[in-house]
Amino acid sequence: MRRRAFLLAGLGAGGALALGWSFLPPRQRLIPDAFPELPPGVTPLNGWIAIGTDDRVQVLSPKVEMGQGIHTALALLVAEELDVPWDRVTVTASGIDAIYFNIAAFVDAMPLHADDRDTRLVRLLRWQAAKIAREAGVMTTAGSSSVRDLWEVARLAGATARSALVEAAAARAGVPVSACRAADGVVTVPGGQFRYGELVADAATRTPRDVTLKAPAQFTRVGTALPRVDLHAKSRGTAVYGIDLPLPGLLHAAIAMPPALGCVPLRVDDRAARAAPGVRDVVTVPADERGTRAGVAIIADRWWQAHRALATLGIAWSTSPHATLDSAGISRTLRRAVREDGGFPFRSRGDARGALARAARTIDVTYEAPYLAHAALEPLSATAQVTALQGRVTQVTVWAATQVPAHARAAVAEQHGVPEDAVTVHQVEMGGSFGRRLDIDFILQAVRVAAARPGSPVRLAWSREDDMRHDVYRPAAVARWRAALDAQGQLLGVVGHGVSQAPFKAVSRRVGIVWTSHGPDRYAGEGAWDQPYAFPAVRFTQREVELPVPVGSWRSVGHSLHGFFLESFIDELASAAGVDPLAYRQSLLRAHPRAARVLRTVAEQSGWGTSLVPAADGQPRARGVALHWMVDTIVALVVEVSLSPAGTVRVHRAVSAVDCGLAIHPDGVKQQIEGAIVFGLSAALSGEITIAGGAVRQGNFDTYPVLRMDACPAIEVHVMPSAEVPSGVGEAGVPPVAPAVANALFALTGERLRTLPLRPTRTTAITTTTTTTTDTSSVR
């Protein structure tokens, strides 16, 4: 009653306003507070579209391109509604503004199971979350959310601009709007036509009221095989990335990083370095709470000069406070924690623990995965130019490949005690990220280094070894899954418990994302509790542990871990039941026909259940299957594997089916799934970051190998037709890869591999087909 009285008392003036606000729709996302600077002759029609007098269309993108094809998807949505020829469309970076806050990422972050999303309460919660995200969200490219976030607003921007152009043409011709028609970059009026470039200045003064979006059946560009907007530049090597952005008077910096976790420079003898060719300055960079590593940077005329001069520095480093930390100890900590109770219950349906107590038989298995590096092909870099007056910083300009430009700007402003409007952040293209550039440590390092040379742009670029040894890693994790079976072997319920560090909470605290800095980290447990399987009873808890290894968001985050754990466990359940693993999954998908359809498609396309021809070297093959649901995208994967006498795993064929809703750019969808399979195979077969003496042992691709071209399988991707709202594909293809390979190896050898990376100890095949093998090693 006291709580109720408090809530009612809150409905005074402020409370009533808040209640009224809660029933209003989210604020408009078309008009920014300020338009970005544009070339002469180019006029913005809203915050997403500008048109030049030469009829060229500039699409302003708040999403950064990192290879995932989001610039092409955004341009397609705009071009579809604007009715403009594809070869006239270019994409440039937008400014920073609240209209670009990522609403979809905020809404998708709610810990909701697919079974719960259509209730009235959940729809209300998602509505309110969208409103909050519009006012106080995050401008970010992350979480496979970009297409979902842009789906409505990009089309609305295009349709609104088209309507404004039509109104301008109607006024100029003195005819009703209904007598005008826009198509292919011109507005046709009775007796003539006007080019968009002729109308744009007039159209920019209009606010059209009658704006109608096309129905999907009317689309002529979306869903077609148009070339990517960046295809020409990337195929010819002219694309400019953050690490090679040309600027007048540019200086270059390299940095000596700590030899182990927590080390800081105590003393620096820089006399030899300062005398080295091309060296301009030596700068000591302090560590901070935003994850910036301490180090000593050298500024020179060329990066190689700076890098070579690092070897001449005499640095006395402090002893690492984690000098006894190693991978074996971390594994023991995680495995001990997974046997203990506790953790946040993300899902609990039915009495799963009671089912374990009364079961005739139980399955009790533990899985483990290591730390992983992002290892994007472009190492981290950022360029900064600092303006100072009488020794005080007054203005900062940053050129950086970042997934969170607004938070980067705020952090730089805080770092140097200037207002945010004194900091300009220019978005540049990324040579990959996989989540690493959600952090801003490298940007803050670069600005501190550049502050030593006011007026000159300075690019700080990490070496490959810096990038790998000072990453924010995918966390190491352990999960325990238990199943209750009755006397007939029927499933009664499952209980899962995961243990790891909290990756996105760690990112949020370093970057300053308030909403996800506290409470349970849903990203640590995702991929376990949110899958479409209808267990008779289920309970999943995720426990967070504190370890000194820095962790962060890695492509598909928790899905990459729990996809392996859960899909391996599903195979173990099928094996214990003596049922084909694909058929067993189908039996658990009766409530989700969409997922069942994806699984059925991959079975048909892969030839599941048919005999396999041995590999070219005579080694028998076997198939494995896995299914995963992530941000409303469903991916099923079947792989064919063989095993050499020396124990080398070879994946010969990978067949995937994907339902991502309406595919905006089907070729782009295929490319992302193909890339995810290669990425996932690298992690499954060899990916592992190990710790010794508080330091990361791996430093380059010789010790952290990725899949080579000669080991890449034949990949087939089947994009399923769908009328659902588009969803993301940048990450969803990764989680099923490791379990599909592990399940295939079990079918091949009878050995169940529960630890990543996959290292078989049995090399003798027991089957040459997909016949199910029953494993009783974990059943009691």
Side-chain angles (χ1 to χ4, degrees), residues 416-647:
H416 292 279
V418 297
E420 286 191 31
D421 59 9
V423 179
T424 301
V425 176
H426 296 286
Q427 287 270 47
V428 293
E429 191 159 342
M430 300 179 185
S433 174
F434 313 123
R436 178 59 177 94
R437 288 174 168 89
L438 278 168
D439 270 272
I440 56 177
D441 52 330
F442 62 102
I443 297 174
L444 298 179
Q445 261 191 353
V447 176
R448 284 199 181 277
V449 172
R453 308 290 296 185
S456 296
V458 180
R459 175 181 301 131
L460 174 65
W462 289 16
S463 68
R464 170 61 59 198
E465 288 75 14
D466 295 335
D467 189 90
M468 193 166 290
R469 290 183 177 137
H470 300 279
D471 203 345
V472 287
Y473 305 94
R474 187 194 75 174
V478 171
R480 181 188 184 193
W481 278 96
R482 292 176 286 168
L485 307 175
D486 65 15
Q488 289 72 45
Q490 295 297 308
L491 184 64
L492 301 175
V494 297
V495 174
H497 183 48
V499 174
S500 74
Q501 292 164 263
F504 204 76
K505 185 186 292 186
V507 174
S508 300
R509 289 176 174 175
R510 291 190 298 261
V511 174
I513 304 174
V514 176
W515 299 103
T516 44
S517 293
H518 307 281
D521 188 343
R522 75 174 295 276
Y523 298 94
E526 63 184 0
W529 55 269
D530 51 3
Q531 295 306 292
Y533 296 118
F535 299 114
V538 59
R539 178 178 174 84
F540 178 80
T541 53
Q542 178 71 25
R543 179 178 176 182
E544 299 174 9
V545 296
E546 295 291 336
L547 289 165
V549 180
V551 296
S553 183
W554 188 91
R555 190 177 187 178
S556 74
V557 205
H559 289 275
S560 71
L561 295 161
H562 293 287
F564 171 66
F565 302 155
L566 179 59
E567 283 297 301
S568 296
F569 184 62
I570 295 291
D571 242 52
E572 300 213 41
L573 295 180
S575 179
V579 177
D580 174 87
L582 194 143
Y584 191 85
R585 286 172 170 80
Q586 287 282 14
S587 72
L588 296 174
L589 293 173
R590 292 178 184 137
H592 290 280
R594 187 178 168 210
R597 189 164 54 250
V598 174
L599 192 59
R600 188 164 55 249
T601 299
V602 83
E604 294 167 354
Q605 297 297 331
S606 67
W608 183 268
T610 62
S611 297
L612 281 166
V613 177
D617 59 2
Q619 298 300 321
R621 300 188 191 189
R623 294 187 182 97
V625 64
L627 174 80
H628 203 78
W629 184 316
M630 180 182 178
V631 289
D632 280 349
T633 291
I634 307 161
V635 178
L637 179 67
V638 169
V639 298
E640 297 175 10
V641 306
S642 69
L643 194 60
S644 75

